[in-house]
Amino acid sequence: MNVDRRNERILHEKDSLVNIQIEQTKGITGIFYKMYIDDSRKFALRFQGKTILDIGAGDGIILSGSGLNPIEMDIAIERCRRLKQTQKRIICGSGFEIPLKDNSVDCVLLIAILEHASNPKLIIDEVYRVLRKSGEAAILVPNDIMMSIGRILLLKFPPRYPGHINFVTPMRLGAWIGERFEITGQYNLPFKKLSFWFSMYHFIYIKKR
């Protein structure tokens, strides 16, 4: 789907009004959401006392109540308003232009975000810029095909999640990451050894060289 920057921002703002993240953790779909939320939180907890940036934080469900003090960043004004109710460090901005200095962050979470972006590689470029040397990032992307099948089975329409404008595969993700990062781990969910094409999500952990 070809979406320009202005329309992309409008799309995210509309999505923030109809999709409250805490509601997505309930029912059948909540089982899968909780899987990646738990893994993301475990990753972030390794950086206690360091600078953590959660890009596309949404309503902050990943790190809320974790005891961490992350920088929560989202492009949607409405989500930033909701974040202010529970979080202290909020940035309302785009992953295409992260308003932080070079080499200033120890840990980045990029969880279920790239599929919402018109230019995912640019976001990864920005992650590389703001991470300190040996800084780490956790990236999760969904299998849009399996998600669409699931939505049809649950009688949710349209079949493709409305906010998804890019289909990110592990191969595409690997090309964007390149050799500037070391891949420290990767697996699929809900079954770690099952092929991505039969899974719901792909998790990858990277470290800046």
Side-chain angles (χ1 to χ4, degrees):
M1 183 188 297
N2 292 320
V3 179
D4 61 31
R5 290 282 184 85
R6 180 177 177 276
N7 287 331
E8 184 176 345
R9 183 179 286 274
I10 292 171
L11 182 64
H12 293 321
E13 207 65 59
K14 287 181 178 178
D15 187 63
S16 73
L17 296 173
V18 297
N19 289 303
I20 309 301
Q21 286 186 326
I22 192 65
E23 296 299 320
Q24 296 173 335
T25 63
K26 300 175 182 178
I28 295 174
T29 57
I31 296 171
F32 299 102
Y33 277 100
K34 287 176 183 177
M35 282 184 183
Y36 78 65
I37 289 171
D38 287 347
D39 283 14
S40 302
R41 183 176 291 210
K42 287 177 185 176
F43 175 83
L45 284 170
R46 296 172 43 225
F47 297 87
Q48 180 80 43
K50 296 186 177 181
T51 305
I52 301 170
L53 172 64
D54 185 4
I55 299 175
D59 297 323
I61 60 173
I62 292 177
L63 299 181
S64 179
S66 65
L68 299 171
N69 185 27
I71 300 170
E72 300 277 35
M73 176 175 160
D74 203 276
I75 193 173
I77 295 172
E78 178 58 31
R79 285 206 167 106
C80 288
R81 287 198 188 106
R82 296 202 294 261
L83 278 169
K84 286 181 179 179
Q85 297 175 16
T86 58
Q87 304 294 328
K88 297 178 181 178
R89 305 166 76 190
I90 311 297
I91 293 177
C92 195
S94 168
F96 298 134
E97 298 171 333
I98 300 172
L100 294 174
K101 295 179 180 179
D102 296 0
N103 310 305
S104 61
V105 174
D106 299 292
C107 167
V108 172
L109 295 184
L110 201 56
I111 307 301
I113 299 304
L114 296 181
E115 65 276 9
H116 295 271
S118 58
N119 189 345
K121 182 182 179 298
L122 183 55
I123 295 179
I124 293 176
D125 291 344
E126 278 290 274
V127 169
Y128 181 82
R129 180 184 67 78
V130 301
L131 273 177
R132 295 188 174 100
K133 185 176 180 180
S134 298
E136 299 183 49
I139 302 173
L140 178 133
V141 295
N143 179 344
D144 246 356
I145 295 173
M146 292 300 290
M147 284 195 73
S148 294
I149 292 172
R151 284 176 63 84
I152 291 171
L153 292 174
L154 293 171
L155 302 179
K156 292 184 177 183
F157 296 94
R160 191 180 192 194
Y161 186 88
H164 290 188
I165 58 179
N166 236 307
F167 183 16
V168 182
T169 65
M171 184 175 290
R172 293 185 74 192
L173 190 53
W176 296 330
I177 289 169
E179 296 184 358
R180 53 192 170 164
F181 291 99
E182 173 191 353
I183 297 175
T184 58
Q186 56 183 321
Y187 56 87
N188 301 311
L189 287 174
F191 305 107
K192 292 188 176 182
K193 294 186 178 180
L194 197 65
S195 165
F196 170 73
W197 299 105
F198 299 100
S199 301
M200 292 295 291
Y201 304 104
H202 180 71
F203 237 128
I204 186 166
Y205 302 99
I206 58 178
K207 179 186 289 188
K208 182 174 177 178
R209 295 186 186 275

